[in-house]
Amino acid sequence: MGQTPAQKAAKAARGQQPKKRPGKAQREAIKRAQAAKSKAGGGKPAAKKAAAKKTVPLPRGLLRAAYPGTCPACFKDYAKDEVITKVADGWGHPGCAPRPLSAAEREFARNKARIESGETFRGQKPSDWRRGASPSSSRPAR
């Protein structure tokens, strides 16, 4: 519906009035209506309500299973929505995943493998030391 020029001028002259906040009685009535609607099953569907409950953030590297499966490490089943993580050959229980090694543990394992394979640290390069002489008077390096 159109407004006449006089109505438009009157509206512009008085300015736009801010919306009034509903009174206390009206707010309580709105809250009661919303509570009744949620009890009656209105609002979010049941699937979304269940998903909303499980929105607890998980630590990095963990996630919830989208479908049931079998852990490749222990060969036990896990259910849908159970917490899983990446293991050697796929996805499985967080307890079945190998613990990440620290830098010192990785270096120790590397050195142990080199020694067990027959490669010793003394055998990596010939020594320039001679019996009865200091390192400064040793023969030139090869």
Side-chain angles (χ1 to χ4, degrees):
M1 296 179 119
Q3 294 178 339
T4 63
Q7 289 174 333
K8 288 181 183 178
K11 187 175 183 181
R14 70 173 181 261
Q16 193 71 354
Q17 296 293 327
K19 289 188 175 181
K20 291 187 177 181
R21 187 171 171 216
K24 185 176 180 182
Q26 287 177 323
R27 288 194 305 262
E28 289 176 1
I30 292 170
K31 284 182 184 179
R32 280 195 303 270
Q34 288 173 343
K37 183 179 177 184
S38 65
K39 284 183 183 177
K44 294 182 181 178
K48 286 188 179 181
K49 285 182 183 179
K53 290 180 184 177
K54 295 180 183 177
T55 57
V56 177
L58 294 171
R60 185 180 176 125
L62 298 179
L63 54 91
R64 295 199 181 275
Y67 50 87
T70 305
C71 176
C74 65
F75 301 106
K76 292 182 182 175
D77 294 333
Y78 57 84
K80 182 181 176 185
D81 292 329
E82 190 173 332
V83 177
I84 57 173
T85 187
K86 190 78 170 159
V87 294
D89 298 329
W91 294 89
H93 304 111
C96 298
R99 183 179 60 85
L101 298 175
S102 68
E105 290 171 326
R106 283 194 305 270
E107 184 179 356
F108 176 81
R110 192 170 37 248
N111 291 341
K112 182 178 177 184
R114 290 170 69 186
I115 291 170
E116 288 175 348
S117 70
E119 179 185 351
T120 62
F121 295 103
R122 183 178 292 169
Q124 287 182 8
K125 68 173 192 171
S127 174
D128 291 338
W129 286 54
R130 289 192 303 180
R131 187 173 176 93
S134 69
S136 62
S137 64
S138 63
R139 64 179 180 230
R142 294 182 210 171

